[in-house]
Every structure is written in C-alpha cells, then in structure tokens.
Amino acid sequence: MGERDRREDPVTSSSSEVSGSAHDVVQANAVHGDIHFHGGHTRHPVPSQLPGDVSGFVNRGHERRVLDAVLDGGAAAGGLYVITGTAGVGKTSLALHWAHSVRRHFPDGQLYVNLRGYDPGVPVSAAQALDRFLRALGLPRERIPNATDDRSALFRSLLADRRVLLVLDNAATVSQVRPLLPATERCLVLITSRSRLSGLVARDGAHRLLLDMLSERDAVDLLRAVTSGYRSPDKDEDLVELARLCARLPLALRIAAERASSRPLMPLRELIEDLRDESALWDALTVADDDESDAVRTVFAWSYRALPEQPARLFRLLGLHPGPEFGTGVAAALAGTSAAKVRRLLDSLVGAHVLEQHAQGRFQFHDLLRVYAAQQAVQQETEQDRAAALGRALDHYLHTLAGAIALIAPLDRPVPLDSAPPDAVPEQFGDRDSAFAWYEREQTNLVSAVRSAAAGGRHDVAWRTAALLRSVYVSQNPFDEWFETARIGLSSAQALGDQRGVAELLDSLGKACLQSQRLDEAAATHTEALRVRREIGDRYGEGVATNALGLIAWRRRALVEARRRFAESLVVFDELADTRWQALVRTNIGMADYDRLDLDAAAEALREAVRLCEQRGDRAYTGNALFYLAMPLRELGELDAARAAIDRALVIAEEDALVAWGAFWLLELARIRRAQGDPGEALAACQRSAVAQRQIGDRNREAAALDGAGEAYRDLGRFEDAAKFHRRAIAIYRDTGDRWLLANALANLIEAMRGADAPDATAALVEEASVALRDFDDPRVARLRLRLVGDS
C-alpha cells in the first residue's frame, strides 16, 4: 500500500505532509557516494551526549592519572582506550566521571552509546550506533546511508576535522566497535567492556586499562561518601566488613550504602548480620564458585527483600519488559496500574539504586539487575500473571504505535485493531512531531516487542505491530529491523491463518526487498502478495501489489512489462476513485513512457499527475510530477515549458525543505540549462547537487551529478576536465553495479576523449558499455548503442 515518504527530518523540518511514497513511484535511476566539490562553511552541531556524572565518585586515583596522561598541555591527544574488568567493578562510572572532567578539551562535542553487549536482549549493532551518532552530528535520517560500511565512512569523514570524545559503553566484541572508530588522532575514544578486546590492542593500537575491585580503603571511602549526611559515622571495622561482603565492587557497594542510608537509626552491625545471613542462604542455593558474582547477587537479594511489596513487584515485573530501557507508560501497563502511581514506585526503585533513570521519564537496569529481576519474576509470579503482565505491555506498544502511525502516515490504510484493553492504556500525541519522537525513543523496544509477542504466542500483536512499523520504515530504511520484524510478523500471520495479515506482511517484505535492491526477492514476494490479495478480494491491495511489480520491472528496464503493470494498477484505482494512487501510478506511467521514448504520452500522463496532486493539495508530489514532466518536455524541444516545470518543482523543494528531492531535481535543471546553451549554469546546478548528494551518502545520485558536471565541462570545451568527472562517475557506477547509468557515463567519457583528441582507449570503453547493455532492449538502449557505434 502507499506509504508516506518524507525525505526530511520528521521532527525538525518544516516540510508539508507527503502523500504516497517515493518508493511507490518511479524514481529516475535508483540512488546510492567520492566527490570533491566543496560547499561553504557550515556550523556543526556540538553533541553533548554524556549521561550525568556519578555522584559521590571517589578514588580510582591511579586509573584517572593514567587517563590524564593522554592530555598534553591542555590539548586533547587522540587515542583509543579500553577500560576492562568484571561486571559491577565500576567501568562505566570511571569512564563517565573522567569524561566529564575533560570534556572542555573536546570543543566539538561528546558522543555516548550504551552498546548493551551483555544485556539479556539483543546488543546495539554498529549500524544502529552510527545512525544515532550521525544524527547527533547534524544529519537528518534521510541523509544517512543504509549500509554499515557507508555509515562508518561518512562518520569518519564528519569527524575528520573535529575534536570529539566518544564513550562506547558495554562493548562485547571488536566487530561491534571497530566501525565506530574515527580515523583522526584529534578524537579520543573510551571503550568499556568485560572482554579484553585484544583485537583492538593488536590491530588498532588501543591501550588497555584493567579495572580491578576497589582496595579496602577505597571501598570504605565509597561507603562513607554515599552515606555521609544520612547516618552518624559508622565504625571502620563495620565498614570494612560491609565492603568485604560486597566484594569491594562499586555496584554492590552503592546498593548496600543506599540501604544503610535509608535506615539511619539502624546500627550498621545489624545490616551486616542481615547481609551475612543472605550470603549464607545464597551459598546454600548456588553451586557457582565465582565469589565476586555471588557477592553481587547476594547484595541484590538483600536489597530486593528490603523493598516494600509494591515496589518489589514492579521491580520483578520490569524484568519481563522485552527491551533494554523503558518509559513510565509501559511500566504502568506491566504493573496494571496508573501512570501517576507507577512514577512513585519507579522513584522508590531509583532511590534504592536497583534502577537507573538515564533521561527524563526513561529508565533502565544494570544488565546484572535486569537478569536478577527476570529471575525473581519467574520465581514469584505465576506463569499466568507473567503472561498477563507481558501481554499488557505488548498491547500498550501496539495501540500506542497505531496512534503514532495515524499521525506519521495519515494516508496509509489502517491496520485493523480491536480496542485497547483497559489496563494497557496507550499514550496520546498532540501532533506528528511528538508521535515520531515517541517512535524514535521506542524503536528498539518495538522490535523487541515483535520478537516477544511471537515467542509468547501473541501472534495477533506480532503481525499487527510489524505491519504498522512498515509505515515508518518505508521512509527510514532501517533494513535489518525491517526484514526481521516483517519476517516474524509474516510467520505469526501464517500461524493464525490470517490472510489479511499475510498479505500486509508480504507487501512489507516486498518493499524492503525493492528498496534494498533485492529485486528477485521483491518480485517473488510481491507476486505472492498479489495472489493473496486476489484470493481474499482485496481490490485496493491488488492495485498496490500490481504497481509494485511494475516498479520492479522498471528497475530491470523491462519497460513493456512495467508499462503494462502500471496500466493494470491504474484500472484498479480508477475503479476505486482513489485520486492519491491515480496520481502516483500516472507518474509511473509517464516515466515508463519517457524511457520508451513515447514522449507525447509521457507528457500527457505527467500533466494529469500534476493536476491530481494539485487537486489534493499534495505539494511534495506535485513537485515530483513536475520534475518528471520537465524531462519529456525538454526532449520534445519545449524548453521554456520544461524550465517552468522544473523551476516550480525547485521552489516547492526549497519552501518545503525537501532537501534530498531538491538535490536530485537540480540535475534536470542542469540538463535544461545545457539545452538552452548555458553550460556554466548547468555546472553550478551539478555542483550544488553533488555537494548535497555527498552529504546524503547517495552514491548513484552523486555519480549522476559528477557525470552531469562532465557534460557541462564538455559543452564548455574543457574536455580533460570533463573526462575526469566522467571517470569518477564511472568508478562509482562500477561499484554500485548500475549497468544502465554506467553505459551512459562510458558514452559520455568517449565523447570527452574524442574532444580532447585522445581516442586511443575508446574501443575498450565501447566494449564495456556494450557488455553493460547486453540484457537491455528498449528504444533508449537502441539509441545509446547507435551512439556508441558512432563514437567507436
């Protein structure tokens, strides 16, 4: 079905709502980055992502001096440091405390990510971390490449001239962090891990700092710092004993100190005896021989048993939450209580140091405590009560997501839902921006919710959540998450025998395949979706699936088939009087006719698409149709009309902040200006486009801008410069595998070389272009073959 496609940051841009999706319409040559046009000076955002400093931080003087040694005369020296040690030893606390103390040395900002390498759930991938970092550095989502390698390269480019401090917390493997490493010595990277990450030391020159348990004196100082002001001074021997029972690990020490602070009149000796009894009980229940782990778990149990009944129950129910962190809304759903009441209970857990509040209204466990909470839920809650609590959380996410999608993609056909259960009250949003902000906060949790729903037999929730996510995934392209949720959702719909759900998830999978250039998979999936749509009598869905098959054929340059599919789809939407889809499909028909050199038919279809878009008030797709309309008008020789169309499109792009579309539309302006005899203006348009595409990371469109610049240089008589730009475009097309655009760029290079009186190597270029065109057979290909023969 049609999805919204907003090429700009959904929260900060001023662009209007977009109906339909650019992924449901033809785009002239699918687009994917090395150009070196340079734009003007830009003020870069300065991220400040460090979580709050650790209160009452004491000692670690030796380790801090080691880290201080990386600073030279007040200027940051680059480097890579791995802080390693056992769980609960204080790696994160040291990293954050030191990072706060030196942040002034890094004027271009501080980046932080918790990679959750040791959480019970799925760790944060390098691709996900890079997405967060790139957006923090000022890139809207639509400018972030899909592939991890491309994101990593763009990240290194952005940091090349900046001095930034990066804290990569809780890393599990070398492969998780290596793509996040800058290439400049101006940046400093701190990594915390339970692993030694030897690969980073051996290959990347990392320095390792092994963090051991605190000394007895330091452990006592920590206990005194946390309890100071809450209790009368305790005896040294009691503090030493308490520190020993906590294995001198900061995580356990802080929990124990907090419990002591909350009981100021209770002698510390009584708390110690209580903890010793807990330790003896734990020893009787475990066969493990890891003294440090036993000590931590003993302190957990000791602190947990001291919680009042309601906070204790919330603690263990939160252990059932499918994701790594959460807000008050889903916490209330898990507990089956009101948001106001759950806030008080959450405050109690934060005060007891068994839960962390890392942002306003957002909470998380230390990974060890998350495991412990889940264990307590299994031991103390019935299977029925656990299933009910998790079910409330899953329903909360499903119905809140449905409300968010209604604002994010209001023109999408709704996924059918029953009313939300009364104890899973969904969150409400006042506008689209707040809805999208919620989605961004909960993105990881929503994927986890799909997994948990399917694993727990809530297949209805699994397929509907996955189907709803398609409406936002289609304009964001988080392919790993998209493929995973769509496949799980499809399996769940099949398990239920719900053919509507099967069709929806096949459509989602097909779109993910199409947008990630997996055309064979896309064709098979959309063909199956079309079969199911027809079987259940879903006429609307039939039109959507047929259009998708047309797009696949168009990308393969099977233009006759593409034109037929689009025509079949248009019949459906004419029958349904759906003007939105009539406009989208007519745009596709116009572009197929343009590629088939049926220019009059193309112009007619595109004029009607413009009219329908204007009738709906759909400015973005009015601009899109105008852009495509300018192309046949230019080739028909109607240059004034073509210029008027592209100018109108570019005004819309500027006024509605459609940066990515506007950057691509500039290339048609360049072609028109060349046709009007002004290659200098054409070159300027290509330069602007190339700079934007390089920032976006869209390699094919960057190559198109380079190739266009080469054509403008050729018209200026600067053939050697033209050849340089054509070669750079060719290198990109060879890498991305776009054979049609490669053949065109090769033909352009041949012309430039002939103009420069250097035709000696053109035979090899002609052969390469002929091979690239081998599987294509349409009028434009025939025309290009004639051009190659003439040039040879």
Side-chain angles (χ1 to χ4, degrees):
M1 54 195 294
E3 275 80 24
R4 164 200 166 272
D5 179 41
R6 186 160 179 185
R7 296 296 196 180
E8 317 321 313
D9 185 281
V11 177
T12 60
S13 82
S14 60
S15 63
S16 62
E17 285 299 324
V18 177
S19 65
S21 167
H23 312 295
D24 294 315
V25 297
V26 165
Q27 298 187 62
N29 306 314
V31 248
H32 301 48
D34 273 72
I35 178 163
H36 302 279
F37 286 128
H38 298 285
H41 175 73
T42 303
R43 285 185 61 86
H44 302 299
V46 179
S48 183
Q49 294 189 329
L50 295 178
D53 198 356
V54 181
S55 62
F57 188 92
V58 296
N59 303 302
R60 297 296 190 191
H62 168 71
E63 291 84 356
R64 282 186 284 168
R65 285 191 294 274
V66 171
L67 292 172
D68 285 341
V70 308
L71 302 178
D72 179 20
L80 175 59
Y81 290 79
V82 178
I83 302 175
T84 185
T86 191
V89 79
K91 300 181 293 296
T92 297
S93 295
L94 172 62
L96 290 179
H97 181 71
W98 186 81
H100 276 282
S101 72
V102 300
R103 59 190 302 175
R104 68 187 181 278
H105 294 287
F106 300 91
D108 295 314
Q110 306 87 42
L111 295 169
Y112 171 87
V113 63
N114 184 349
L115 294 169
R116 303 190 183 281
Y118 301 94
D119 268 27
V122 178
V124 174
S125 68
Q128 291 170 324
L130 285 165
D131 177 76
R132 299 175 193 178
F133 285 170
L134 290 170
R135 284 188 285 127
L137 292 169
L139 267 70
R141 268 186 179 271
E142 76 280 355
R143 297 190 182 188
I144 297 174
N146 297 322
T148 301
D149 288 347
D150 290 340
R151 290 183 180 185
S152 182
L154 183 56
F155 180 60
R156 291 193 298 271
S157 295
L158 288 175
L159 293 189
D161 297 316
R162 304 191 204 186
R163 181 170 289 164
V164 173
L165 173 64
L166 293 86
V167 179
L168 310 180
D169 201 11
N170 290 315
T173 63
V174 171
S175 62
Q176 194 181 17
V177 299
R178 185 166 279 142
L180 310 180
L181 303 180
T184 173
E185 294 184 356
R186 294 167 61 84
C187 295
L188 177 65
V189 183
L190 288 181
I191 301 171
T192 72
S193 179
R194 296 178 200 173
S195 167
R196 294 175 63 84
L197 300 182
S198 298
L200 291 181
V201 176
R203 175 176 161 184
D204 300 277
H207 305 275
R208 185 186 292 122
L209 178 59
L210 176 61
L211 205 59
D212 203 351
M213 66 182 69
L214 292 173
S215 68
E216 180 179 286
R217 177 175 179 178
D218 287 351
V220 168
D221 285 347
L222 175 57
L223 289 171
R224 287 196 187 280
V226 175
T227 59
S228 176
Y230 296 95
R231 299 175 57 85
S232 299
D234 292 297
K235 296 179 181 178
D236 282 349
E237 58 266 30
D238 289 342
L239 293 170
V240 168
E241 176 66 6
L242 182 58
R244 185 191 66 78
L245 289 170
C246 293
R248 303 202 305 275
L249 293 172
L251 175 63
L253 288 164
R254 286 183 177 278
I255 292 173
E258 178 57 38
R259 186 171 176 191
S261 297
S262 66
R263 292 160 176 77
L265 300 180
M266 179 180 288
L268 192 60
R269 175 53 51 183
E270 291 186 24
L271 289 171
I272 290 171
E273 292 300 328
D274 192 18
L275 179 54
R276 187 181 288 119
D277 291 343
E278 188 71 51
S279 179
L281 175 62
W282 185 265
D283 288 343
L285 294 175
T286 181
V287 295
D289 58 358
D290 184 342
D291 292 340
E292 295 172 4
S293 298
D294 285 352
V296 170
R297 286 190 288 265
T298 298
V299 172
F300 290 171
W302 177 67
S303 180
Y304 168 71
R305 293 180 195 278
L307 291 171
E309 179 181 351
Q310 290 185 339
R313 185 164 194 263
L314 177 61
F315 172 81
R316 59 182 180 261
L317 290 179
L318 290 173
L320 302 175
H321 183 263
E325 52 92 37
F326 48 85
T328 55
V330 74
L334 277 164
T337 188
S338 68
K341 184 173 181 179
V342 87
R343 287 189 190 97
R344 295 193 294 271
L345 298 178
L346 290 167
D347 286 344
S348 297
L349 297 178
V350 171
H353 279 273
V354 295
L355 189 67
E356 303 170 17
Q357 182 172 3
H358 64 92
Q360 180 66 34
R362 305 297 293 180
F363 303 86
Q364 64 184 8
F365 284 115
H366 187 284
D367 51 10
L368 294 179
L369 279 159
R370 185 180 175 195
V371 172
Y372 181 77
Q375 291 171 343
Q376 297 311 302
V378 171
Q379 293 172 10
Q380 299 189 45
E381 299 287 335
T382 67
E383 183 177 354
Q384 182 178 1
D385 286 346
R386 293 198 305 273
L390 179 57
R392 291 191 298 270
L394 296 175
D395 284 330
H396 170 85
Y397 278 129
L398 172 63
H399 288 277
T400 303
L401 177 61
I405 295 299
L407 291 169
I408 294 170
L411 297 176
D412 282 7
R413 186 165 61 161
V415 173
L417 295 178
D418 295 329
S419 299
D423 51 4
V425 179
E427 298 175 47
Q428 303 296 319
F429 309 105
D431 55 29
R432 186 194 176 286
D433 288 353
S434 61
F436 196 88
W438 176 86
Y439 159 75
E440 288 194 304
R441 288 194 301 271
E442 302 293 354
Q443 184 174 355
T444 300
N445 288 330
L446 291 167
V447 177
S448 297
V450 174
R451 293 190 198 108
S452 295
R458 287 296 307 273
H459 296 300
D460 58 325
V461 173
W463 87 252
R464 287 179 168 86
T465 304
L468 285 164
L469 284 169
R470 170 195 52 193
S471 290
V472 66
Y473 284 170
V474 74
S475 61
Q476 307 299 319
N477 285 346
F479 287 121
D480 290 343
E481 297 173 358
W482 193 352
F483 278 113
E484 181 182 4
T485 56
R487 286 169 177 153
I488 293 173
L490 178 59
S491 295
S492 286
Q494 290 169 334
L496 293 172
D498 189 324
Q499 290 297 87
R500 168 70 188 273
V502 168
E504 295 294 329
L505 272 304
L506 285 169
D507 177 82
S508 183
L509 264 179
K511 279 184 168 54
C513 290
L514 178 60
Q515 291 174 210
S516 60
Q517 300 296 313
R518 305 181 191 188
L519 298 186
D520 290 341
E521 294 177 62
T525 304
H526 278 299
T527 299
E528 179 63 10
L530 178 59
R531 184 194 67 78
V532 176
R533 299 286 196 189
R534 286 172 172 165
E535 183 179 284
I536 63 177
D538 181 0
R539 190 73 169 140
Y540 176 96
E542 184 180 337
V544 171
T546 303
N547 178 73
L549 289 169
L551 288 174
I552 295 165
W554 179 84
R555 293 226 181 155
R556 290 169 163 168
R557 285 200 79 80
L559 300 180
V560 173
E561 180 188 352
R563 180 64 167 76
R564 177 179 62 82
R565 292 286 193 180
F566 294 145
E568 291 173 358
S569 180
L570 184 59
V571 168
V572 174
F573 293 115
D574 283 346
E575 172 190 312
L576 297 175
D578 188 319
T579 56
R580 173 200 188 199
W581 273 96
Q582 287 172 332
L584 292 176
V585 177
R586 277 187 167 83
T587 301
N588 292 350
I589 288 172
M591 281 310 303
D593 286 340
Y594 171 79
D595 279 348
R596 294 168 63 238
L597 286 178
D598 193 346
L599 301 180
D600 289 321
E604 180 181 354
L606 289 161
R607 284 191 182 98
E608 180 62 9
V610 171
R611 186 189 69 80
L612 289 170
C613 288
E614 289 178 331
Q615 177 182 312
R616 290 182 55 85
D618 191 339
R619 282 172 54 82
Y621 276 92
T622 298
N624 200 47
L626 285 165
F627 161 67
Y628 290 126
L629 174 60
M631 298 167 72
L633 292 177
R634 168 176 49 81
E635 293 200 19
L636 286 166
E638 300 178 29
L639 297 183
D640 290 342
R643 177 65 188 272
I646 198 62
D647 283 349
R648 286 178 61 198
L650 290 169
V651 167
I652 290 172
E654 182 168 355
E655 290 180 349
D656 290 10
L658 301 173
V659 177
W661 279 9
F664 188 48
W665 297 349
L666 281 168
L667 297 182
E668 180 57 25
L669 174 63
R671 288 187 284 265
I672 293 169
R673 296 304 286 161
R674 286 182 55 236
Q676 291 177 324
D678 194 344
E681 286 294 322
L683 183 61
C686 289
Q687 177 179 350
R688 290 165 58 197
S689 178
V691 169
Q693 301 300 348
R694 183 70 182 101
Q695 292 173 338
I696 292 168
D698 197 327
R699 301 197 68 206
N700 259 35
R701 285 187 179 174
E702 182 184 348
L706 290 167
D707 202 39
E711 291 181 287
Y713 274 123
R714 188 181 69 217
D715 288 357
L716 288 166
R718 295 172 58 178
F719 297 109
E720 292 183 359
D721 287 328
K724 290 177 183 177
F725 278 88
H726 291 314
R727 287 192 179 97
R728 292 164 72 184
I730 287 166
I732 294 174
Y733 289 140
R734 285 170 176 160
D735 188 41
T736 64
D738 194 314
R739 292 179 296 149
W740 168 244
L741 293 180
L742 172 62
N744 278 273
L746 286 164
N748 287 334
L749 175 58
I750 290 167
E751 288 192 15
M753 293 175 68
R754 287 170 60 86
D757 294 325
D760 296 345
T762 58
L765 298 174
V766 170
E767 175 62 21
E768 182 179 1
S770 299
V771 171
L773 295 172
R774 184 170 48 201
D775 297 329
F776 300 139
D777 184 18
D778 61 70
R780 285 194 183 275
V781 171
R783 192 164 73 176
L784 182 57
R785 286 193 176 109
L786 288 174
R787 183 179 163 198
L788 290 169
V789 170
D791 287 338
S792 62

